[in-house]
Amino acid sequence: MKSIRTKKIFKNKVPESILIPVFFIVLIYLLFLLYFVNHFFFNTVINGVDLSCKAHKDTDHVVRNYVKNYKLQLIERDGETEEITGQAIQMQYNKDNGIPEILRKKKPLTWGSSLFKKQKYYVKDLFIYNANALDSKTNNLNCLQKDMIEPRSVDFKYLNGSYALIKEVQGNKILKEKLYEAIKLGIANGDLKLDINEKLCYENPKHTVNSGKTQETLSLLNKYVSTNINYKFGSENEILNGEKINEWLTVDENLDVAISKTEVMKYLKELSRKYNTVGIKRNFKTSVGKTIEVEGGLYGWKIDLDAEAKALLEHIDLGETIEKEPVYAQKALSRGVDEIGGTYVEINITRQYLWFYKNGKLITQSPIVTGDPNKGNATVTGTFMLNYKQKGATLRGANYSAQVSYWMPFFGNIGIHDAGWRHSFGGQIYKNNGTHGCINTPLYVAKAIFDNIEEGIPIISYKE
């Protein structure tokens, strides 16, 4: 029985191969525990000063040596470096600091964690210096004395039908207040190096090639200049594409694109000067065989500038490729050398005579009475068109009122109408008993014209 019990005890004993290592581990731990009661842990740094495993009583000596040899290296954007030394700014160790508080909170039992984790601390006002000396040293840094290159954001250039990016310029403009604050913070932290570019001490371009909005703006610009509009003016064309549109585009500091409405209107006005025909000189072959030049009036083509500008901006916004006529405020019957065609009213003021043709065929002709030039009521000359026609109208003026059966105005209150109160027409009547500007015709002539004329038909009034 006894031998069996002894064997059990022997079997339950911990082997010496385990006990001995455990004993040494515990011993080492306790030795370090005793050591770190009066020493800093591993990896201990306070305001840049490495105090790892240093005795607490040596703190002042270590910190003073650090301050004595302190140099802050400034790394600039171009790779150049400058130094601010502790001596230059009269840097000193402030003994009345918070290091004792760090020691008070230190727990020696946790020394093991310092093997794997940095013990980094910051103590406010651990270092003191002459602020005026630092200010002077900062102001005299070489980086502040260089010729300044302003930063410039990414730009866009139109070339060969599309836009390309022009890389931004970083420049070397330093934000002095930020630099000063970064240096002060670097000194307070006990840093030995300060990359002033990383600390954002330079004024940077607002947008770069890699900025999120850059590609959006580039795409929008290229959509706008992809617009291709073929304006039709009868047999003539005007092509509007990116070669012109790019001149209307601007990109602001926020990379927002604007289309100049002023330039759009300027372009449309150029088209108007070239293709509007209202009031132009026209060669006109009269019924008596003469070819005369008629100028003025309201007949012809006229682009509606405001409406077409709105439409054009929409086309550009969509990057469209289209063929179109511009929006017209007024149209003639046809485009080309002869816009009048074969249907028109011809009024010869000199001869006091009227002819009306429809599709080249003479419908009616007659002597007439036009405006009295001696009373300032001469009938207007030029090429006009019928505004509308009305049966049974009452014509009123400053000192008259007249009933007519057929009223056909072509210039304000001036028009063609019958004049039942007249017993004769033609000759020199208009010089002493003329109208207020209208064209008086016999009733049958007015009716013939009225029955065959439509709104927009040309009316040519001239003097030989």
Side-chain angles (χ1 to χ4, degrees):
M1 251 336 248
K2 184 176 179 182
S3 63
I4 294 172
R5 193 176 297 129
T6 303
K7 285 180 181 180
K8 274 189 177 183
I9 292 171
F10 182 78
K11 280 185 178 180
N12 291 334
K13 279 183 68 177
V14 178
E16 287 185 7
S17 60
I18 294 175
L19 284 174
I20 292 172
V22 170
F23 171 78
F24 276 107
I25 289 171
V26 173
L27 178 61
I28 291 169
Y29 174 79
L30 292 174
L31 289 173
F32 272 108
L33 174 62
L34 291 173
Y35 179 82
F36 284 123
V37 169
N38 297 307
H39 290 77
F40 288 98
F41 286 164
F42 296 112
N43 296 314
T44 300
V45 178
I46 301 177
N47 290 47
V49 182
D50 189 355
L51 290 166
S52 302
C53 302
K54 297 289 192 298
H56 295 168
K57 63 184 179 59
D58 294 333
T59 301
D60 289 354
H61 174 71
V62 174
V63 177
R64 281 195 176 90
N65 276 340
Y66 186 83
V67 170
K68 181 180 177 181
N69 299 304
Y70 181 76
K71 292 179 182 178
L72 176 62
Q73 184 185 58
L74 305 181
I75 304 170
E76 297 162 12
R77 177 171 276 175
D78 55 10
E80 293 186 19
T81 60
E82 298 186 64
E83 287 184 346
I84 296 178
T85 65
Q87 291 181 352
I89 60 173
Q90 302 167 29
M91 186 174 173
Q92 297 177 20
Y93 165 48
N94 178 19
K95 194 172 181 180
D96 299 327
N97 58 72
I99 290 181
E101 181 65 16
I102 294 173
L103 297 176
R104 188 181 68 80
K105 291 182 177 180
K106 192 182 73 168
K107 298 176 181 179
L109 286 170
T110 64
W111 69 266
S113 63
S114 68
L115 288 167
F116 313 103
K117 182 181 178 182
K118 287 187 176 182
Q119 313 297 302
K120 197 170 182 179
Y121 300 95
Y122 172 75
V123 175
K124 187 177 180 181
D125 297 328
L126 181 63
F127 309 123
I128 57 176
Y129 52 83
N130 186 318
N132 290 331
L134 177 61
D135 195 33
S136 175
K137 183 65 178 174
T138 303
N139 287 334
N140 287 292
L141 288 170
N142 290 334
C143 60
L144 292 175
Q145 313 308 317
K146 295 178 180 178
D147 291 337
M148 187 177 68
I149 301 172
E150 291 276 355
R152 189 188 69 215
S153 285
V154 63
D155 205 354
F156 305 85
K157 184 177 182 180
Y158 181 78
L159 188 66
N160 298 325
S162 63
Y163 277 87
L165 295 177
I166 299 176
K167 188 175 173 59
E168 70 279 356
V169 174
Q170 293 292 334
N172 63 358
K173 184 178 180 181
I174 289 178
L175 302 170
K176 188 177 176 182
E177 289 301 317
K178 280 196 171 185
L179 175 63
Y180 190 67
E181 290 302 316
I183 290 172
K184 286 200 300 181
L185 183 60
I187 293 170
N189 289 332
D191 295 334
L192 299 179
K193 290 186 177 182
L194 178 66
D195 188 322
I196 63 175
N197 187 45
E198 288 183 359
K199 296 298 181 181
L200 304 179
C201 297
Y202 288 96
E203 182 174 319
N204 290 313
K206 189 172 182 180
H207 297 283
T208 69
V209 169
N210 297 318
S211 296
K213 197 170 182 181
T214 299
Q215 288 302 320
E216 293 178 22
T217 301
L218 181 64
S219 296
L220 187 59
L221 287 168
N222 281 326
K223 182 175 78 168
Y224 287 168
V225 296
S226 71
T227 302
N228 191 300
I229 299 175
N230 182 5
Y231 277 111
K232 304 288 289 182
F233 297 94
S235 61
E236 296 187 60
N237 300 324
E238 289 285 340
I239 303 297
L240 173 65
N241 54 32
E243 296 303 311
K244 172 62 72 174
I245 294 171
N246 85 90
E247 298 173 4
W248 306 344
L249 305 179
T250 56
V251 181
D252 67 15
E253 61 179 12
N254 296 316
L255 297 194
D256 290 326
V257 182
I259 307 171
S260 173
K261 294 180 180 178
T262 301
E263 291 299 317
V264 168
M265 189 61 76
K266 181 179 175 182
Y267 171 76
L268 293 177
K269 285 180 178 178
E270 289 174 0
L271 291 185
S272 296
R273 282 191 288 270
K274 188 173 180 180
Y275 294 104
N276 279 3
T277 61
V278 173
I280 65 169
K281 292 180 180 179
R282 291 183 173 87
N283 290 325
F284 176 72
K285 187 173 182 180
T286 68
S287 294
V288 295
K290 290 183 180 180
T291 297
I292 63 170
E293 192 176 72
V294 181
E295 182 179 5
L298 301 177
Y299 180 75
W301 298 86
K302 183 178 181 181
I303 296 173
D304 188 327
L305 292 175
D306 291 333
E308 182 53 35
K310 182 180 178 182
L312 177 52
L313 287 168
E314 290 175 355
H315 298 321
I316 296 172
D317 189 55
L318 295 172
E320 291 183 316
T321 297
I322 56 172
E323 184 178 283
K324 63 169 289 186
E325 283 190 328
V327 180
Y328 284 107
Q330 176 180 301
K331 292 183 178 183
L333 294 181
S334 62
R335 272 278 185 193
V337 176
D338 181 17
E339 294 182 345
I340 294 173
T343 301
Y344 58 88
V345 176
E346 177 185 347
I347 300 167
N348 187 323
I349 294 174
T350 306
R351 294 174 183 259
Q352 290 290 288
Y353 209 86
L354 173 150
W355 296 265
F356 174 51
Y357 297 89
K358 185 173 183 179
N359 297 323
K361 179 182 178 182
L362 180 64
I363 301 299
T364 187
Q365 61 179 318
S366 171
I368 56 174
V369 177
T370 62
D372 191 334
N374 295 319
K375 295 180 182 177
N377 295 323
T379 297
V380 293
T381 59
T383 306
F384 302 87
M385 59 184 172
L386 182 68
N387 294 332
Y388 64 92
K389 60 182 182 177
Q390 179 183 347
K391 273 187 178 181
T394 301
L395 308 182
R396 290 187 175 87
N399 54 4
Y400 71 90
S401 176
Q403 285 288 130
V404 299
S405 298
Y406 303 102
W407 170 232
M408 293 163 280
F410 60 84
F411 182 72
N413 290 326
I414 294 175
I416 301 168
H417 61 82
D418 55 288
W421 56 89
R422 289 190 186 277
H423 302 291
S424 60
F425 297 86
Q428 302 298 308
I429 297 172
Y430 78 108
K431 291 185 177 179
N432 49 43
N433 188 24
T435 71
H436 291 85
C438 286
I439 292 82
N440 288 179
T441 71
L443 180 64
Y444 75 92
V445 173
K447 181 179 187 307
I449 297 172
F450 189 94
D451 290 343
N452 289 278
I453 201 168
E454 299 296 336
E455 183 180 321
I457 295 300
I459 297 173
I460 302 96
S461 173
Y462 65 89
K463 296 177 183 177
E464 287 187 32

